[in-house]
Amino acid sequence: MMLFALTLLLPACNRGGAEEWYKQGLLELSEDNEEEAIKWLAKAADKKHAPSMTLLGSRLIEKDAERARALFNEASGLGYGPAMVYLAACNLGEIGGEKNVTLAISWLERALRGTDLTDPQREAAHELIMEYGADNDDEEEEEEEEEEDDDDYEDNEGLNGRELFVKGVQALKEKNMSVARDYLMKSLHQDYAPAATALGNFTQSAEPENESIFLGLYMAAARMGEPVAHVKLAKFFLEKKDNERAIYWLEKVVKSGNLDEEDQQTNEDLLRGLDPSRLIPENVKGWAKKGSGLFVAEDYAGAAEWFLKAAKEGHVHAQLMLGLCYRLGRGVPADPKESLAWFHKAADQGCVDAWLILGTMYYSGQKVEKNLPLALKWIEKAYQSGVLRDTAASGAEMMLLTLKGVVDTEEE
């Protein structure tokens, strides 16, 4: 079953900045030039081209399983579905690392929610879930039975990902590691990103040799927008003296605007030391700051002018605020299309606030065509990030409960 599943998992689409190298690798493979193919795919993989990482990993499984698993980990962290299925198969078959059925099922479920799997890949993912899911349920039931005698922890039935995470953190503080891991794994099953980061940290501390596991967890959390995971990945790659990958993760989190002020400055300084060209120039940050000051002072025309200057240079907060100006008609004529365009630009840079705003707009249908599947996509991303504060998180959760019922019904 395992070998059959693995044979189905060739990348389904071509994308990324190393497209020509990837195509050359495919060409070499078609002519049975394995060594040449691996050279081209490795060049593309170094540029974080997910299909190349996945295909390269598939060629290395028998020769270097650990490296193959690491490639699948990184491509999965970039959101590439075929890599997630490969990574799940590695976790199930103890390929390049330890067996972890729970984590494998989680990756398979995420892959199936995406759109970049071919039909054979989807069938393989479904087969793996059916084959291993029941066994995993039995194992979890046994673990739960063992913990029933612990009166300090109440039944977690019906708790959401955020609540399970809080209980897991509390158990960690009390040094009850088995209970903490149980809560965090259940939180991860609900795709709550901070749980993936916490489990990654847990694994990295206890089993530093299991890089494939904790890196996979960090990358899963980073893909969902969790800023701490980005920083963890950057620090890991810095320790490995892999500055290119460290810069990649630092740049993503610094530009997203999801860090608090102190962490933002710390990581900007770190990124500046590695590659100053990756940072938004100080004058552009100054334009955005001027815009914010004028917006608070209700000089909306002046604010919009400065936001526009900064937004055009890629400043994510300026893009978010400019979208708000166009939405509300503050300082510029109200323009739903322009507003939506700027919110999408901020969202594309990983801004969680933009994800939530887009989800709310598509949910309500105010000044934009109502689109519940899109609303579900964006609100789910925002909620899963774990960045939202209490009120916003509660509001997002309520919308999610409504949307999941409606969207599931419509799909049926």
Side-chain angles (χ1 to χ4, degrees):
M1 168 60 203
M2 184 65 61
L3 290 175
F4 169 71
L6 289 174
T7 62
L8 298 175
L9 304 179
L10 290 178
C13 64
N14 305 332
R15 59 173 181 260
E19 191 64 33
E20 294 307 313
W21 296 340
Y22 174 66
K23 288 179 179 177
Q24 185 63 37
L26 288 175
L27 179 63
E28 297 293 348
L29 282 176
S30 71
E31 297 176 355
D32 294 327
N33 296 328
E34 182 85 6
E35 289 188 11
E36 280 301 309
I38 286 176
K39 288 178 184 178
W40 286 109
L41 292 172
K43 281 171 66 72
D46 285 342
K47 298 299 181 182
K48 290 171 280 294
H49 184 258
S52 295
M53 291 178 185
T54 307
L55 185 54
L56 178 60
S58 74
R59 313 308 296 188
L60 295 176
I61 283 178
E62 295 184 2
K63 302 173 185 175
D64 189 345
E66 189 173 341
R67 185 186 175 197
R69 187 164 174 163
L71 286 163
F72 299 145
N73 250 323
E74 189 158 8
S76 296
L78 296 173
Y80 190 54
M84 296 178 197
V85 186
Y86 258 124
L87 182 57
C90 287
N91 274 297
L92 292 172
E94 297 184 72
I95 300 170
E98 292 185 359
K99 184 174 183 177
N100 190 322
V101 177
T102 302
L103 190 56
I105 298 298
S106 178
W107 278 117
L108 289 168
E109 289 171 346
R110 287 188 193 121
L112 288 170
R113 286 198 292 272
T115 59
D116 52 3
L117 296 182
T118 62
D119 288 340
Q121 289 164 356
R122 286 189 175 278
E123 289 174 14
H126 280 299
E127 285 180 21
L128 290 171
I129 289 176
M130 289 177 65
E131 183 174 347
Y132 291 91
D135 294 340
N136 192 49
D137 290 341
D138 292 340
E139 289 176 11
E140 289 185 350
E141 285 175 11
E142 289 174 8
E143 289 175 5
E144 287 170 5
E145 287 172 5
E146 290 173 3
E147 291 166 7
E148 279 179 357
D149 295 333
D150 192 339
D151 296 330
D152 295 333
Y153 294 92
E154 61 191 54
D155 181 40
N156 57 34
E157 189 70 31
L159 297 183
N160 62 34
R162 193 162 180 265
E163 291 165 335
L164 289 164
F165 172 74
V166 170
K167 284 184 173 291
V169 171
Q170 181 60 37
L172 280 176
K173 290 178 180 176
E174 296 171 8
K175 308 296 183 184
N176 195 332
M177 299 307 181
S178 63
V179 172
R181 187 179 182 280
D182 180 61
Y183 277 131
L184 292 173
M185 286 303 298
K186 285 180 167 61
S187 178
L188 177 59
H189 273 320
Q190 298 192 33
D191 285 333
Y192 192 63
T197 305
L199 282 166
N201 193 48
F202 186 98
T203 305
Q204 187 176 14
S205 299
E207 306 169 43
E209 69 280 4
N210 285 333
E211 292 181 3
S212 62
I213 293 178
F214 65 74
L215 282 180
L217 288 161
Y218 289 150
M219 287 177 182
R223 186 173 59 86
M224 290 187 275
E226 214 273 294
V228 177
H230 288 82
V231 176
K232 286 279 188 182
L233 286 165
K235 288 182 177 178
F236 172 82
F237 287 119
L238 275 177
E239 289 174 2
K240 295 289 185 181
K241 301 191 184 305
D242 187 343
N243 286 3
E244 186 174 355
R245 282 180 170 79
I247 287 169
Y248 173 83
W249 292 108
L250 275 175
E251 184 178 30
K252 283 182 77 71
V253 73
V254 164
K255 286 189 174 181
S256 73
N258 295 331
L259 294 169
D260 62 33
E261 188 173 344
E262 184 177 348
D263 285 341
Q264 179 76 14
Q265 188 60 54
T266 298
N267 287 286
E268 280 189 11
D269 290 344
L270 183 55
L271 182 57
R272 186 177 288 109
L274 292 169
D275 185 355
S277 68
R278 302 297 182 99
L279 282 172
I280 291 177
E282 289 298 318
N283 64 318
V284 176
K285 290 167 65 176
W287 298 343
K289 190 172 183 179
K290 277 188 179 181
S292 295
L294 292 172
F295 193 89
V296 171
E298 299 185 2
D299 180 357
Y300 299 122
E305 183 180 345
W306 286 108
F307 285 145
L308 179 61
K309 283 171 66 72
K312 285 182 175 178
E313 297 299 321
H315 194 286
V316 69
H317 182 69
Q319 292 172 343
L320 184 76
M321 292 303 295
L322 189 59
L324 188 64
C325 288
Y326 276 112
R327 180 167 171 76
L328 302 177
R330 298 281 176 86
V332 289
D335 187 334
K337 288 185 178 179
E338 195 71 14
S339 170
L340 195 63
W342 285 110
F343 285 142
H344 272 289
K345 285 182 183 295
D348 288 344
Q349 294 201 69
C351 177
V352 173
D353 287 336
W355 295 350
L356 183 60
I357 289 171
L358 284 171
T360 305
M361 288 172 67
Y362 286 121
Y363 176 80
S364 67
Q366 292 181 354
K367 300 183 181 179
V368 66
E369 185 177 350
K370 193 168 187 175
N371 188 321
L372 296 185
L374 267 182
L376 176 60
K377 168 193 168 183
W378 289 113
I379 291 173
E380 193 167 34
K381 279 173 71 73
Y383 179 75
Q384 289 171 348
S385 72
V387 173
L388 300 179
R389 294 181 181 177
D390 291 345
T391 304
S394 298
E397 186 187 352
M398 291 298 293
M399 284 189 281
L400 273 180
L401 289 172
T402 303
L403 282 165
K404 283 183 176 178
V406 173
V407 172
D408 289 346
T409 303
E410 287 180 351
E411 287 177 350
E412 288 173 8

